[in-house]
Amino acid sequence: MKKNFIFIFILFVFLPICYSMNTGGIKGIVLNDATGKPIQDAKVTIKELDISQATDEKGQYLFNGLLVDFYTIRVEHPKYQTYERENVIITANKIRTEPPIRLKKGTASKTVIMVTDKRVVKICRSRGATAHNISSDKKTYFPPSSGGTRIPNAKPYDLTFYENYGVNPFVDTEDDTRSTFAVDIDTASYTKARDYINDGNIPEKDIIRTEEFINYFKYNYPSPKNGIFAITVSGSNSKFGKNCKLIKIGIKAKKISPQKRLPAILTFVIDVSGSMERDNRLGLVKRALRLLIGELKKDDKIGIVIYGSYGKVIMKHQTLEKKAEIINIIDSLTPGGSTYAEEGIKLGYELAAKEYKKGCINRVILCTDGVANVGNTDAESILKEIKKNKEKGITLSAIGFGMDNYNDVLLEKLGDKGDGHYAYVDTISEAKRIFVENLTGTLQVVARDVKIQVVFNPK
């Protein structure tokens, strides 16, 4: 009997390798600790290589073409305390952004704790934190410039966190005629991979989730004339193997015009921890939210929760009559401290529950790099709060920002289990796509927890 296999696979990407595989770079900024202003003409030295450069008028420095290794950065200026940061990691094929170096007067020592996958590299002090006798077994550490006492996902600071879900095996249709799967609407994998490429790097393999590449693009499927969904099926012979068919099943949901969208009660939960200063992450969050606010209607409401070292409600829900006030509050946010995501999300749901209204869109919108280091830091612990509120009708969208020190694992699971979605914003154009062009589709869903079952002819 001939065996028919079904492949659902769309995209191959071939990328030129433009960098030496064992070199990388580092960039950063030197600031006045008291005023936060950039320091020009500070001498920045890579001690092991005895190479130096002066910071520019924006306090910035950049070293490229460094061999993958651990280095010590030394910063000197006649008017400031000399600073050394040890065990700075250079990663292959990447220009890594170092947390800001803040110079101040005095003679106190100023070094940081770094932890590798297998061992503690250095035990020392960072921004007033007390050094501990720590080990990789206890997994206790202090991330540079942001505090915290927990390791995100039990992995070292400043890595990106992805999960490899593996590849489904081939199944003969004569053995099992049914294929059942959940409908996924996330797109973060595509934009995250694109960000790697735009930055001159090869994407990490575990970030690639094929369904999210497929989800990103528009296919112009016809809308349903009646009912909630329209289904479009096409197929052909496949070049991937003998006796194989390639089939594509497209599902188009009922389109809702912006004018007919339900009133939205939105609760922004914004990460303002120290890591959100890097790569202008919080700056991009602010610009993205300003775009979103510009698209909302008069009967929509907005509340704002922030979290760094602790969570805080900074604005109870307001209508768009207070639009200027809402934008001023968002613009005033500044990064600093460690990352207590669990408390921030909990407060966000509590605020959303107080304003909950049946017949409206009740949505929590989380904006973060996802790297928690205080309280529960893994997805499973935080998901308990989300599951409890999802049953009440409050959904969650997880919107990711940032490159290095980014937790895809947490955000992907939060968006999935929160009955919302997970997207990644790498540019203001992507923010516009999510919050302007696709706002109604982002907010108003026509069905939740959708499962699809395809039944194949066993012959």
Side-chain angles (χ1 to χ4, degrees):
M1 178 185 292
K2 288 186 177 180
K3 298 179 179 180
N4 294 320
F5 296 100
I6 305 300
F7 288 81
I8 305 177
F9 196 81
I10 287 185
L11 187 62
F12 288 92
V13 179
F14 296 94
L15 302 170
I17 297 177
C18 302
Y19 290 83
S20 170
M21 294 301 290
N22 61 347
T23 64
I26 189 168
K27 63 182 179 180
I29 188 171
V30 179
L31 303 175
N32 182 315
D33 187 62
T35 66
K37 293 182 178 180
I39 298 175
Q40 186 175 359
D41 294 327
K43 181 182 179 182
V44 183
T45 303
I46 305 294
K47 288 184 65 177
E48 290 80 0
L49 304 176
D50 196 25
I51 56 175
S52 302
Q53 61 177 251
T55 54
D56 62 18
E57 67 274 11
K58 296 182 179 180
Q60 296 173 336
Y61 63 91
L62 169 65
F63 295 92
N64 204 352
L66 305 179
L67 291 175
V68 173
D69 206 339
F70 293 89
Y71 294 96
T72 301
I73 295 178
R74 182 180 179 88
V75 184
E76 301 167 278
H77 192 284
K79 297 182 180 180
Y80 297 89
Q81 170 198 349
T82 297
Y83 174 103
E84 285 193 1
R85 178 174 289 166
E86 300 182 3
N87 298 302
V88 173
I89 303 172
I90 299 298
T91 306
N93 305 322
K94 294 182 72 174
I95 302 293
R96 180 177 172 276
T97 302
E98 187 69 356
I101 293 173
R102 299 177 179 272
L103 301 186
K104 62 181 180 180
K105 295 179 181 179
T107 58
S109 63
K110 187 76 172 177
T111 48
V112 300
I113 289 180
M114 297 295 291
V115 180
T116 67
D117 282 318
K118 298 181 179 179
R119 68 189 191 284
V120 174
V121 176
K122 186 73 178 177
I123 301 176
C124 41
R125 299 177 186 274
S126 178
R127 298 188 70 175
T130 303
H132 289 252
N133 292 320
I134 64 177
S135 71
S136 56
D137 296 329
K138 293 184 178 180
K139 307 221 183 280
T140 305
Y141 83 137
F142 295 95
S145 75
S146 59
T149 56
R150 296 291 184 89
I151 292 179
N153 290 335
K155 292 185 179 181
Y157 176 85
D158 214 38
L159 294 180
T160 47
F161 308 113
Y162 303 118
E163 184 169 331
N164 188 334
Y165 293 97
V167 178
N168 290 332
F170 290 102
V171 178
D172 289 354
T173 54
E174 62 184 6
D175 296 331
D176 186 355
T177 63
R178 298 173 187 267
S179 177
T180 308
F181 47 91
V183 171
D184 180 89
I185 60 169
D186 296 344
T187 59
S189 176
Y190 174 83
T191 45
K192 190 68 178 171
R194 183 180 67 188
D195 203 16
Y196 272 90
I197 295 166
N198 288 339
D199 209 30
N201 300 310
I202 302 299
E204 296 191 34
K205 63 180 181 179
D206 292 344
I207 188 60
I208 307 301
R209 294 185 288 270
T210 309
E211 68 276 12
E212 294 182 31
F213 274 60
I214 297 170
N215 290 345
Y216 186 85
F217 297 96
K218 294 181 179 180
Y219 298 96
N220 298 317
Y221 294 133
S223 297
K225 294 180 180 179
N226 298 299
I228 302 297
F229 299 107
I231 299 174
T232 302
V233 180
S234 58
S236 68
N237 292 325
S238 171
K239 296 182 179 180
F240 294 115
K242 189 177 181 181
N243 299 325
C244 292
K245 303 289 184 182
L246 179 66
I247 185 170
K248 183 172 72 169
I249 303 172
I251 300 172
K252 177 78 170 181
K254 178 175 66 175
K255 189 172 182 179
I256 299 172
S257 68
Q259 294 76 22
K260 294 183 178 180
R261 173 177 63 77
L262 295 173
I265 301 172
L266 307 180
T267 307
F268 297 152
V269 178
I270 304 172
D271 182 353
V272 296
S273 63
S275 64
M276 291 297 287
E277 185 174 20
R278 303 171 63 175
D279 307 325
N280 195 30
R281 299 177 192 196
L282 186 57
L284 188 54
V285 170
K286 293 177 182 180
R287 295 170 68 193
L289 294 184
R290 282 198 295 268
L291 285 175
L292 186 151
I293 291 169
E295 296 299 309
L296 296 179
K297 301 187 294 185
K298 289 183 178 180
D299 53 353
D300 296 329
K301 289 185 177 181
I302 294 172
I304 302 175
V305 172
I306 61 172
Y307 65 89
S309 298
Y310 56 91
K312 183 179 180 181
V313 177
I314 63 169
M315 190 186 82
K316 294 182 179 179
H317 286 86
Q318 304 276 5
T319 65
L320 268 292
E321 292 177 354
K322 300 288 186 70
K323 182 177 179 179
E325 178 184 334
I326 295 169
I327 291 176
N328 286 338
I329 289 173
I330 291 173
D331 286 344
S332 69
L333 299 179
T334 56
S338 50
T339 314
Y340 200 172
E342 181 187 25
E343 184 173 73
I345 293 171
K346 183 178 180 181
L347 283 175
Y349 273 116
E350 288 176 357
L351 185 63
K354 289 178 181 177
E355 199 64 30
Y356 174 84
K357 189 174 181 180
K358 192 174 182 180
C360 293
I361 299 166
N362 298 273
R363 178 72 60 91
V364 173
I365 298 178
L366 174 65
C367 300
T368 178
D369 58 22
V371 185
N373 56 30
V374 177
N376 289 315
T377 67
D378 63 298
E380 299 309 316
S381 300
I382 297 175
L383 283 173
K384 294 177 183 177
E385 186 70 31
I386 289 178
K387 182 179 179 182
K388 180 174 64 177
N389 284 278
K390 182 178 73 171
E391 293 168 354
K392 298 177 183 177
I394 301 173
T395 58
L396 177 137
S397 287
I399 312 297
F401 296 80
M403 274 295 287
D404 294 328
N405 192 38
Y406 183 83
N407 193 346
D408 176 77
V409 178
L410 177 64
L411 295 180
E412 194 268 339
K413 290 183 178 179
L414 295 185
D416 180 39
K417 300 301 181 182
D419 267 1
H421 78 306
Y422 167 36
Y424 172 74
V425 174
D426 55 343
T427 64
I428 195 64
S429 297
E430 184 62 24
K432 183 179 179 182
R433 192 186 77 88
I434 295 170
F435 293 132
V436 177
E437 297 168 7
N438 297 332
L439 179 63
T440 299
T442 297
L443 293 180
Q444 185 161 335
V445 299
V446 296
R448 294 195 181 108
D449 198 22
V450 178
K451 300 289 192 298
I452 298 295
Q453 186 172 82
V454 181
V455 182
F456 297 106
N457 184 335
K459 296 181 180 180

